[in-house]
Amino acid sequence: MRTPLIAANWKMNNTVSESLKFVAATMLELKTLRQVDVVIAPPYTALYSMNVALAETEISLGAQNMHWEESGAYTGEISASFLKDVGCKYIIIGHSERRQYFNETDETVNLRIQTALRHDLIPIVCVGETLEERESDRTWEVIERQLTGGLRDIAINDYTKFVIAYEPVWAIGTGKTATPEQAQEIHSQIRGYLESKYGREASSAMRLLYGGSVKGANSAELMSKEDIDGALVGGASLDAKQFAEIVRNSQR
Ligand code: PGA
């Protein structure tokens, strides 16, 4: 059975002190975690302090992006070893905001995945269609292209340490969630794709997260679907009560 995974993507929110306050508030709500993996991906500037604060909890640390090169003249970039150095275990790759505003492509997603695996960081690879693509019936075509490009020549040793997040772009930060049925349909297609690429055992070990306006109130129903193994949460992950409710709703 796959352990559910709830990942908080804070985006460009929370200073160091706000981040630490959040950890304290969340732990008051959650106390112990039962059969669920929880990750928080704060901004880079809070990673070091968050690593110290999270050491006393069962919550893991993640980052929102990284460069694929090891080091060198890449002004403004952060490498995988820097992230390991401050205790990161997870790395979000190819978020739609990175694709939309920072020219992230399937090729650069692929390079980042290679680097993440080399450094033993667990990738959370994001895929998803825009509203226009959904309305013109190109949803699967787009996701298949993102998977094919992103996973090109990627060999995975431990399938429990490779995560894909389906995030329809039209549902991110809009308050419009995909229905559990819409999300399940795509998740099952993604699992089918992974099965054809890596085999049945592999595909049934990999966790598939849903992302896009997940809140306390809609999370239980989403998580009840067969192929939805957790959530990548933006807005609602900035509120300790909401976030804790999502975590609680995902515990099996
Ligand atoms: P949202 O963001 O929960 O605010 O829709 C999800 C995401 O972008 O990962």
Side-chain angles (χ1 to χ4, degrees):
M1 235 7 247
R2 299 179 289 269
T3 307
L5 170 65
I6 302 297
N9 173 14
W10 282 358
K11 311 190 180 185
M12 200 167 73
N13 293 291
N14 286 341
T15 61
V16 173
S17 64
E18 285 163 348
S19 301
L20 298 179
K21 267 190 217 143
F22 180 93
V23 173
T26 304
M27 291 325 291
L28 275 180
E29 293 287 329
L30 276 178
K31 307 206 170 66
T32 56
L33 302 179
R34 196 168 31 81
Q35 285 184 25
V36 59
D37 291 339
V38 178
V39 183
I40 297 179
Y44 290 137
T45 45
L47 285 174
Y48 180 86
S49 324
M50 283 289 282
N51 185 39
V52 175
L54 293 179
E56 288 160 34
T57 75
E58 296 162 275
I59 300 177
S60 302
L61 191 62
Q64 300 172 18
N65 186 34
M66 64 164 197
H67 200 273
W68 56 88
E69 292 291 348
E70 299 297 325
S71 63
Y74 301 99
T75 301
E77 293 295 326
I78 295 288
S79 75
S81 48
F82 299 171
L83 298 181
K84 292 289 286 189
D85 190 39
V86 291
C88 285
K89 198 169 157 196
Y90 290 81
I91 174 73
I92 299 172
I93 295 178
H95 189 278
S96 66
E97 285 150 17
R98 303 265 358 139
R99 294 179 190 258
Q100 222 177 323
Y101 307 133
F102 303 100
N103 303 323
E104 182 92 56
T105 62
D106 296 332
E107 288 70 38
T108 56
V109 165
N110 181 266
L111 291 169
R112 288 182 164 93
I113 296 174
Q114 291 179 32
T115 301
L117 294 180
R118 224 172 26 245
H119 287 267
D120 205 19
L121 281 162
I122 302 177
I124 301 178
V125 180
C126 304
V127 297
E129 81 288 3
T130 62
L131 185 60
E132 192 222 317
E133 288 160 347
R134 175 162 281 264
E135 284 178 343
S136 56
D137 279 332
R138 288 188 294 132
T139 300
W140 181 246
E141 177 194 318
V142 169
I143 293 168
E144 191 176 31
R145 190 199 68 222
Q146 291 169 337
L147 290 171
T148 304
L151 299 177
R152 180 164 293 130
D153 297 330
I154 298 289
I156 303 170
N157 287 328
D158 183 347
Y159 292 97
T160 63
K161 292 189 174 162
F162 198 99
V163 181
I164 294 189
Y166 167 55
E167 298 205 301
V169 178
W170 49 271
I172 295 179
T174 57
K176 264 197 246 163
T177 327
T179 64
E181 291 69 31
Q182 279 173 325
Q184 166 57 28
E185 187 189 351
I186 302 297
H187 279 232
S188 125
Q189 278 179 287
I190 294 175
R191 206 176 298 284
Y193 176 95
L194 296 170
E195 183 178 338
S196 64
K197 189 171 170 78
Y198 296 109
R200 195 183 181 93
E201 209 176 307
S203 71
S204 58
M206 287 160 98
R207 287 178 290 183
L208 307 184
L209 312 185
Y210 169 77
S213 299
V214 175
K215 314 184 242 316
N218 60 24
S219 58
E221 215 191 331
L222 284 159
M223 241 68 87
S224 71
K225 295 291 176 192
E226 192 185 337
D227 289 298
I228 303 182
D229 307 311
L232 182 53
V233 189
S237 77
L238 298 170
D239 178 302
K241 275 199 163 54
Q242 281 280 327
F243 187 60
E245 188 181 345
I246 296 169
V247 171
R248 273 195 300 270
N249 284 342
S250 70
Q251 292 177 330
R252 294 243 156 89

